Amino acid sequence: MSARRKFLQTLTHFGISIPFIKNSLLDRRVLPLAEKPVSLPIIICSRSEAWGRKVLEPAWNTLEQSGNILDAIEAGANVVELDPEDTSVGYGGLPNEEGIVSLDASIMYGPTHNCGSVAALEKIKTPSSVARLVMDRTDHMMLVGEGALRFAKAHGFREEDLLTEKARLIWLEWKENLSDRDDWFPPKDGKYLPRKRTTGTINVLGIDAKGDVAGITTTSGLFGKIPGRIGDSPIIGAGLYVDNRIGAAGATGRGEEVIRTCGSFYVVEKMLQGLSPQEACEAACQRIVEINGGLDTGDYDDKFVAVNKNGEVGCASIRGRKGQHPYVSIISNDGFKTIEGSALQWME
Ligand code: ASP
């Protein structure tokens, strides 16, 4: 443990607020724009080993073949979007309150500082690819709902049913257990147990050999959301932010908290002010806790991942479960690895 971290822990022990102390460190060195990056290229994603490999190996192969970091992160994001087994992103994602799968995604490219996003997009398996077209082929940055669908179809995307049998059964179980004051009954054998609503999402962030930065965030959003609800993932600065001077950050978890703290922008700004990606991700988690008035005031959780042009990676969540969450996977010339991030509170 670094001396600084030990120092901060001791302060916390005596009831002194870490966020305040961290802010006093913000005058530290700002990464010079011309500083030569090391360990590049690098691509990271907000998943543990199994999904990390599935996503990052094709992303890396694409980068090797095309040299294009946008192609690479899109190829990685598409893997999880197209996989029906993942219930938090793209095809197979858990639906909204009415059983309709409604997807959010964003993309951002450092050299142009351009971005594109889609929100509440239905029937298209790969929303991150539609977001990329919004960035590359329109003068807009965000398309939602019916307009986003029409735009996707204009570009040749096929409308498909995104609700898998697995997702439908999870949704039905949730719906039938919502209330004992409505007309939906769970099965008489009592097989359903009310479950916590799950979260998911993936951030895929990359920096190419020249030091150009790009990022994608893609999700089916909060399971059981009110139709029309848009989370943080398609909102630039919330679920994703990229700054070619320093790096990229992405968020997962309760989007409402990330929106009201401009979470990913906050992480990137902290990196610009001199914090490491790890310190910046922790600062964003602390900010959310701070505006909520403490860790015990609600059941929210959020996680940030970030990477800078030195090839340093950060991963932090508000609440962690040892061996389960939070993780970040990384691929670079040094190979593939998964590392466990930090958490403000470890749960059983
Ligand atoms: N952040 C996403 C949202 O709020 C959900 C998630 O990451 O699980 O839509």
Side-chain angles (χ1 to χ4, degrees):
M1 187 188 303
S2 72
R4 192 183 73 83
R5 203 168 292 265
K6 239 188 218 153
F7 170 66
L8 291 173
Q9 272 192 0
T10 313
L11 291 174
T12 326
H13 181 78
F14 289 108
I16 299 169
S17 139
I18 285 181
F20 174 75
I21 295 298
K22 283 206 163 177
N23 286 343
S24 72
L25 297 172
L26 295 183
D27 57 350
R28 285 170 23 182
R29 185 183 67 100
V30 173
L31 191 73
L33 302 191
E35 183 163 287
K36 190 165 169 1
V38 293
S39 306
L40 300 184
I42 183 170
I43 309 175
I44 72 168
C45 78
S46 55
R47 289 285 172 106
S48 57
E49 172 145 15
W51 275 106
R53 272 190 195 285
K54 276 199 216 176
V55 167
L56 292 182
E57 285 174 355
W60 188 257
N61 293 340
T62 304
L63 185 63
E64 283 189 326
Q65 279 155 24
S66 73
N68 184 322
I69 193 68
L70 283 169
D71 289 349
I73 59 170
E74 183 183 355
N78 284 170
V79 170
V80 59
E81 289 175 330
L82 291 169
D83 194 322
E85 282 310 305
D86 184 285
T87 55
S88 68
V89 174
Y91 176 48
L94 294 178
N96 67 17
E97 198 174 69
E98 291 173 357
I100 295 166
V101 180
S102 170
L103 306 176
D104 296 340
S106 58
I107 188 165
M108 189 163 187
Y109 187 48
T112 53
H113 211 72
N114 201 2
C115 43
S117 77
V118 289
L121 174 64
E122 295 173 17
K123 301 178 190 150
I124 303 291
K125 284 182 170 171
T126 52
S128 66
S129 296
V130 185
R132 184 169 176 189
L133 284 165
V134 173
M135 175 172 80
D136 288 344
R137 304 281 289 271
T138 78
D139 197 26
H140 303 321
M141 289 184 182
M142 187 171 198
L143 294 179
V144 306
E146 187 57 35
L149 175 60
R150 282 200 216 133
F151 172 77
K153 284 163 63 181
H155 277 278
F157 287 79
R158 247 183 338 121
E159 280 187 72
E160 290 173 273
D161 183 2
L162 304 187
L163 188 68
T164 58
E165 196 54 9
K166 178 176 167 185
R168 184 187 67 78
L169 288 172
I170 295 172
W171 168 78
L172 186 64
E173 171 189 320
W174 171 77
K175 183 96 181 157
E176 290 185 334
N177 278 289
L178 267 183
S179 168
D180 53 12
R181 291 200 279 171
D182 64 17
D183 299 325
W184 294 75
F185 298 147
K188 295 243 174 334
D189 60 14
K191 268 199 177 138
Y192 288 170
L193 283 176
R195 280 200 271 185
K196 203 170 169 274
R197 286 198 282 173
T198 55
T199 54
T201 306
I202 189 165
N203 319 116
V204 188
L205 312 175
I207 308 184
D208 69 16
K210 302 190 299 291
D212 286 336
V213 186
I216 282 177
T217 295
T218 179
T219 189
S220 50
L222 181 69
F223 168 40
K225 61 194 170 189
I226 296 174
R229 180 264 189 189
I230 290 169
D232 57 316
S233 307
I235 297 179
I236 297 298
L240 174 71
Y241 198 68
V242 161
D243 187 317
N244 222 44
R245 293 172 295 174
I246 187 82
T252 57
R254 185 176 147 76
E256 283 71 10
E257 303 303 336
V258 179
I259 291 172
R260 65 182 178 146
T261 50
C262 300
S264 295
F265 179 75
Y266 188 84
V267 172
V268 171
E269 282 296 299
K270 291 286 176 202
M271 294 198 292
L272 274 169
Q273 290 165 353
L275 296 199
S276 70
Q278 183 60 34
E279 290 166 333
C281 289
E282 288 173 9
C285 290
Q286 284 166 358
R287 181 77 192 111
I288 290 174
V289 172
E290 211 174 60
I291 61 163
N292 275 282
L295 271 169
D296 302 329
T297 55
D299 192 18
Y300 57 93
D301 190 16
D302 290 287
K303 165 181 161 186
F304 293 92
V305 295
V307 59
N308 73 10
K309 293 173 66 139
N310 281 337
E312 295 171 311
V313 174
C315 173
S317 71
I318 293 171
R319 299 172 214 275
R321 279 177 205 279
K322 276 275 168 210
Q324 286 178 30
H325 165 82
Y327 283 102
V328 62
S329 289
I330 303 162
I331 200 160
S332 71
N333 285 321
D334 302 332
F336 173 89
K337 66 179 171 196
T338 299
I339 53 175
E340 189 173 39
S342 65
L344 297 183
Q345 184 180 55
W346 289 101
M347 320 283 286
E348 284 308 305

